[in-house]
Amino acid sequence: CSDNAVCFNNIGGFECECKDGFTGDGVNCTDIDECALDVCDINASCSNSDGSYACECNTGYKSDGHTCTDIDECITGHHNCDIHGICSNINGSFTCSCYSGYFGSGVECADVNECSDRTDNCDKNASCENTDGSFSCSCVQGFIGSGSECININECELSVHNCDESAVCNDNQGGFICECLPGYEGDGFICHDENECADEENNCSAFATCSNIEGGFECDCKTGYEGDGVSCNDINECITGDHSCHSNA
């Protein structure tokens, strides 16, 4: 019998039978290549040996003694994805991808600066502030809203301005302008009465007296003249009789 056979005695003789893992007539026994017969799981590697074989699950799989099942590295934590990455299990392995707001291979992820990259959705009247993995929008002074949408605040209409009481408030985009009323001078925030009489910025007649009043002036014709102060004409007292001459003069 072959060294790889078992000898069985019987009456008047013996028989040779190849051992498990070998094939032949017992006198000649050759190794059976079980690996060629696909005896292992599809996700395992097969190693043939004399009279036997061994199956070993591929990387990413584990054996329950008969079959190979996938190892979920994402659940077990046996992955190398970045802290800002997403682990996705696949058969026999896993993949890494960065969260929204980050970029990279997934194994390494860096913050996306949406503000400098101009990939934000902030309003043109808002400021963009980069945050870890995201960004925030804030309306600039003079505007109100969510940041992604900003509308102008009408400070004049809402009376939230600091114009002088003798000034008019004119709203504009993102702010307001203060202008002193006619008869006043200043920067709009502080207005004081303009003395048109002293500044000679009046239209009184040369035959009138200019009197300054708050926010304006008045013109009064001098004695002997009549009119509205802007235009003064001589009164002919001789015709009107408003004189003190003798009746014989």
Side-chain angles (χ1 to χ4, degrees):
C1 293
S2 168
D3 289 340
N4 296 314
V6 178
C7 180
F8 295 98
N9 185 58
N10 56 27
I11 297 174
F14 63 91
E15 288 182 4
C16 299
E17 186 177 324
C18 292
K19 297 176 181 178
D20 290 341
F22 293 90
T23 184
D25 57 9
V27 176
N28 294 297
C29 295
T30 57
D31 176 56
I32 297 173
D33 188 354
E34 293 87 357
C35 295
L37 301 176
D38 294 329
V39 292
C40 294
D41 188 271
I42 190 173
N43 294 308
S45 60
C46 181
S47 301
N48 187 62
S49 60
D50 273 348
S52 188
Y53 64 94
C55 299
E56 184 177 355
C57 291
N58 296 332
T59 302
Y61 293 87
K62 61 183 177 180
S63 173
D64 60 3
H66 302 285
T67 57
C68 296
T69 56
D70 176 56
I71 298 172
D72 192 334
E73 295 86 356
C74 300
I75 293 177
T76 63
H78 295 139
H79 63 81
N80 61 340
C81 297
D82 190 90
I83 189 173
H84 299 300
I86 303 169
C87 178
S88 301
N89 187 62
I90 58 176
N91 278 333
S93 189
F94 61 92
T95 61
C96 301
S97 58
C98 296
Y99 286 123
S100 176
Y102 296 88
F103 71 97
S105 63
V107 176
E108 292 184 358
C109 297
D111 176 54
V112 175
N113 190 326
E114 295 85 355
C115 300
S116 61
D117 291 348
R118 296 186 178 179
T119 55
D120 61 88
N121 64 339
C122 296
D123 190 271
K124 66 178 181 179
N125 294 309
S127 60
C128 178
E129 181 180 356
N130 187 61
T131 60
D132 199 20
S134 189
F135 62 94
S136 63
C137 305
S138 303
C139 295
V140 298
Q141 186 175 357
F143 293 86
I144 191 171
S146 62
S148 57
E149 184 179 358
C150 299
I151 57 174
N152 176 55
I153 298 173
N154 191 326
E155 295 87 353
C156 301
E157 190 176 275
L158 298 174
S159 297
V160 290
H161 59 82
N162 57 344
C163 295
D164 191 272
E165 62 179 5
S166 298
V168 62
C169 177
N170 296 309
D171 185 63
N172 60 18
Q173 285 293 303
F176 58 93
I177 297 173
C178 302
E179 294 180 305
C180 294
L181 295 170
Y184 294 87
E185 58 185 1
D187 59 6
F189 301 103
I190 298 176
C191 298
H192 54 81
D193 177 54
E194 180 182 1
N195 191 331
E196 297 87 353
C197 299
D199 296 342
E200 296 184 357
E201 293 183 3
N202 61 77
N203 60 345
C204 294
S205 168
F207 303 107
T209 301
C210 179
S211 301
N212 186 64
I213 58 175
E214 187 71 22
F217 60 94
E218 292 179 347
C219 301
D220 296 300
C221 292
K222 296 178 180 178
T223 302
Y225 294 86
E226 61 182 357
D228 58 8
V230 176
S231 176
C232 294
N233 299 309
D234 177 59
I235 299 173
N236 192 331
E237 293 88 352
C238 297
I239 294 177
T240 61
D242 294 329
H243 58 81
S244 59
C245 295
H246 191 273
S247 58
N248 293 317

